[in-house]
């Protein structure tokens, strides 16, 4: 009869984190375990902490591994050490608050893995100003019949528009079928204005490649072969996987920063917990300069004003994100 693997203790900086069931298989494609997941996050420590630092963060937990049930958890699980920090958020629709994980050090990431967290989904704000985004997110979301070549082409068009605006975009694979591009902005605008600007940008990309891109909000009305630029990822409490976050796939794909000149060659499946550590050791964090490349989004709001004067609809109301 097989015996249960004992717990182990891992030193992470000044902290000691206990990992129970370290041999539990989390990723069925190659058999990587909970401990392998811990070691992965340790290997990209600077990158994952930079991506999550001081941001409210939803935890996507897989208690039985990624082939099992996924738990979307806003509130920090009970039993957290006192050094694991949180930020309290208020949800007006529910008239309730939630204390979400707020990563300030790598040990908090490792402790979250102990609590079966695989994916980290942060807000685009920080705890010092939770209602003022400092990150504009461009989500290139392919329809069910949209191939990856189209995603690549649209990414280059988005890059072209960003260059014309004087904005520095930091691309990454989504870990799924799409590409995300992040742009740092000053925390001065509310979610509504950031969404308006994001939609105006998406419409400009659509004008340039109308046969490839859609900004149609309702899924049922979209051409399934087109790529949707999901401006609504900039809405309050809408989150996407962080740079260096593992995704809940059997092969342990990673949402991975890439250079612009890699987009035409790299495939999402190239980046997994088995391959990204060596890449990170060789290249470092490709998003390391994001905080030094702050873009004033005023031109986007001017575009939004122009579009609305010309009869374009403002952004659709965002979907409700359930509190629990």
């Amino acid at each position: 009869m097989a015996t249960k693997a004992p717990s182990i203790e891992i030193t992470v900086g000044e902290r000691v984190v206990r990992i129970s069931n370290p041999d539990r298989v989390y990723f069925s494609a190659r058999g990587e375990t909970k401990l392998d997941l811990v070691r992965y996050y340790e290997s990209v420590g600077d990158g994952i902490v930079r991506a999550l630092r001081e941001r409210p963060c939803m935890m996507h937990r897989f208690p039985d591994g990624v082939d099992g049930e996924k738990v979307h958890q806003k509130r920090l699980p009970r039993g957290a050490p006192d050094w694991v920090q949180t930020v309290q958020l208020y949800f007006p629709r529910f008239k309730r608050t939630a204390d979400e994980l707020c990563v300030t050090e790598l040990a908090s990431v490792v402790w979250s893995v102990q609590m079966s967290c695989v994916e980290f989904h942060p807000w685009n704000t920080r705890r010092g100003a939770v209602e003022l985004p400092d990150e504009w997110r461009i989500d290139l979301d392919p329809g069910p019949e949209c191939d990856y070549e189209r995603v690549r082409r649209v990414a280059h068009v988005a890059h072209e528009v960003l260059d014309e605006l004087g904005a520095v975009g930091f691309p990454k694979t989504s870990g799924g079928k799409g590409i995300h591009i992040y742009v740092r902005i000053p925390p001065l605008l509310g979610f509504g204005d950031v969404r308006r600007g994001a939609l105006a940008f998406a419409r400009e990309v659509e004008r340039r490649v109308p046969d490839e891109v859609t900004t149609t909000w309702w899924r049922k009305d979209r051409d399934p072969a087109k790529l949707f630029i999901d401006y609504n990822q900039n809405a309050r409490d809408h989150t996407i996987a962080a740079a260096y976050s593992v995704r809940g796939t059997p092969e342990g794909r990673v949402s991975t920063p890439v250079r612009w000149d890699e987009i035409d060659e790299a495939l999402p499946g190239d980046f997994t917990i088995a391959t990204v550590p060596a890449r990170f050791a060789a290249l470092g964090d490709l998003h390391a300069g994001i905080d030094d490349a702050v873009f004033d989004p005023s031109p986007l709001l001017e575009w939004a004003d122009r579009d609305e004067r010309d009869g374009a609809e403002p952004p659709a109301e965002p979907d409700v994100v359930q509190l629990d």
Side-chain angles (χ1 to χ4, degrees):
M1 180 177 177
T3 58
K4 184 178 179 180
S7 300
I8 62 173
E9 291 187 341
I10 294 178
T11 300
V12 187
E14 298 178 353
R15 316 295 186 189
V16 176
V17 182
R18 174 181 165 273
I19 305 296
S20 62
N21 303 313
D23 295 333
R24 175 172 291 165
V25 173
Y26 267 41
F27 305 96
S28 56
R30 291 182 306 271
E32 286 103 342
T33 65
K34 185 179 185 181
L35 181 58
D36 291 325
L37 182 60
V38 169
R39 297 303 188 202
Y40 161 77
Y41 278 120
E42 287 184 306
S43 76
V44 298
D46 289 347
I48 189 64
V49 172
R50 180 175 289 108
L52 300 177
R53 187 181 297 281
E54 305 251 328
R55 300 188 184 280
C57 185
M58 178 185 284
M59 302 165 66
H60 287 199
R61 300 172 56 232
F62 294 81
D64 298 314
V66 300
D67 293 336
E69 179 185 5
K70 176 163 71 170
V71 178
H72 295 239
Q73 184 142 359
K74 291 184 181 294
R75 293 184 172 85
L76 192 75
R78 293 181 179 179
D82 58 9
W83 46 262
V84 174
Q85 298 190 34
T86 62
V87 56
Q88 187 174 90
L89 302 173
Y90 178 66
F91 296 90
R93 180 180 180 87
F94 304 103
K95 296 182 172 59
R96 296 165 67 187
T97 60
D99 294 321
E100 292 200 9
L101 173 69
C102 187
V103 167
T104 56
E105 58 181 307
L106 182 57
S108 296
V109 175
V110 173
W111 177 82
S112 299
V113 174
Q114 156 57 18
M115 300 305 293
S116 72
C117 181
V118 173
E119 301 187 14
F120 293 85
H121 288 237
W123 281 39
N124 62 345
T125 64
R126 300 186 197 260
R127 65 178 172 183
V130 295
E131 301 299 328
L132 300 174
D134 74 336
E135 193 164 80
W136 163 30
R137 295 172 174 175
I138 302 165
D139 180 9
L140 306 184
D141 182 13
E145 298 174 19
C146 175
D147 63 27
Y148 199 65
E149 285 300 317
R150 175 160 289 177
V151 178
R152 288 168 164 157
R153 290 194 297 271
V154 175
H156 288 306
V157 176
H159 188 198
E160 174 185 279
V161 178
L162 289 172
D163 279 350
E164 292 174 11
L165 287 166
V168 180
F170 290 79
K172 66 182 182 70
T173 63
S174 68
K177 298 179 179 179
I179 289 176
H180 302 153
I181 306 165
Y182 286 178
V183 180
R184 188 65 79 240
I185 58 175
L188 300 174
L189 300 175
F191 292 101
D193 278 336
V194 174
R195 288 176 64 231
R196 286 182 68 238
L199 175 54
F201 176 87
R203 284 176 169 150
E204 178 59 26
V205 176
E206 183 180 27
R207 287 185 191 100
R208 299 190 185 197
V209 281
D211 293 335
E212 307 217 80
V213 167
T214 180
T215 56
T216 299
W217 174 240
W218 296 108
R219 187 183 298 271
K220 65 181 178 60
D221 296 328
R222 290 182 212 150
D223 182 339
K226 288 188 176 183
L227 182 143
F228 175 54
I229 300 182
D230 190 355
Y231 60 87
N232 216 40
Q233 293 296 4
N234 296 281
R236 189 181 194 273
D237 195 29
H238 281 235
T239 62
I240 50 181
Y244 300 104
S245 175
V246 180
R247 305 307 305 271
T249 64
E251 66 271 29
R253 287 190 183 186
V254 174
S255 182
T256 305
V258 292
R259 301 187 307 266
W260 285 109
D261 63 6
E262 291 183 287
I263 284 177
D264 287 337
E265 300 297 330
L267 292 168
D270 294 341
F271 306 110
T272 71
I273 63 171
T275 63
V276 171
R279 174 182 171 86
F280 191 89
L283 300 179
D285 181 8
L286 295 181
H287 283 193
I290 192 169
D291 289 326
D292 300 322
V294 181
F295 168 67
D296 177 357
S298 298
L300 298 178
L301 297 182
E302 294 172 5
W303 286 2
D305 290 340
R306 174 203 64 198
D307 291 348
E308 290 167 17
R309 284 195 304 269
D310 291 343
E313 293 292 328
E317 285 300 310
D319 298 332
V320 175
V321 178
Q322 295 301 316
L323 184 55
D324 293 308

